Amino acid sequence: QVQLVESGGGLVQSGGFLRLSCVASRRISDFSAMGWYRQAPGKQRELVAEITPRGTISYSNSVEGRSTISRDNPPNSWYLQINNLEPEDTAVYYCYVKLNDYLRTHYWGQGTQVTVSS
């Protein structure tokens, strides 16, 4: 079992930045991927950024060029910084981890609200 807690959200003016943190209840010894997704009311859940054990990183088109995902090594925390925030970035942001087990067990946190004012 893994519990994840996000923090760092808040109200930010357009053009500002936030650095979100995810802290796991234990060190993640074996995982296939970890990262962040977000969901705005009435919108489809969107994968924002992902990082693999090898350090391979991918971003959604909507945040690529503005965002940085990073993690501790070995990870029990990972982070997402988004620069040049836009009102369209307003959403609840969730961190997640997929364990490298047979079922690729997926854990996620309760989310942290990001609100970007115009």
Side-chain angles (χ1 to χ4, degrees):
Q1 181 71 272
V2 180
Q3 290 83 43
L4 306 178
V5 179
E6 302 94 340
S7 64
L11 176 62
V12 181
Q13 186 177 185
S14 180
F17 73 94
L18 283 174
R19 186 174 187 264
L20 308 180
S21 298
C22 180
V23 179
S25 59
R26 63 173 174 86
R27 186 175 299 173
I28 308 299
S29 59
D30 195 10
F31 67 99
S32 62
M34 57 180 50
W36 295 82
Y37 62 90
R38 67 186 182 185
Q39 189 164 30
K43 301 293 185 181
Q44 183 73 24
R45 186 178 66 182
E46 177 187 14
L47 179 65
V48 178
E50 188 172 86
I51 186 168
T52 73
R54 294 180 180 270
T56 302
I57 294 170
S58 60
Y59 298 101
S60 69
N61 291 335
S62 60
V63 303
E64 188 168 12
R66 300 188 292 126
S67 299
T68 302
I69 186 171
S70 59
R71 61 172 172 84
D72 297 341
N73 189 19
N76 64 353
S77 301
W78 53 103
Y79 313 93
L80 177 69
Q81 180 165 322
I82 307 178
N83 303 315
N84 300 316
L85 285 161
E86 305 167 350
E88 292 74 20
D89 295 317
T90 296
V92 178
Y93 285 70
Y94 302 87
C95 63
Y96 70 90
V97 60
K98 296 178 182 178
L99 301 184
N100 191 30
D101 57 13
Y102 290 114
L103 298 177
R104 300 291 179 93
T105 304
H106 183 191
Y107 296 98
W108 57 90
Q110 294 297 307
T112 184
Q113 174 69 235
V114 172
T115 303
V116 184
S117 62
S118 60

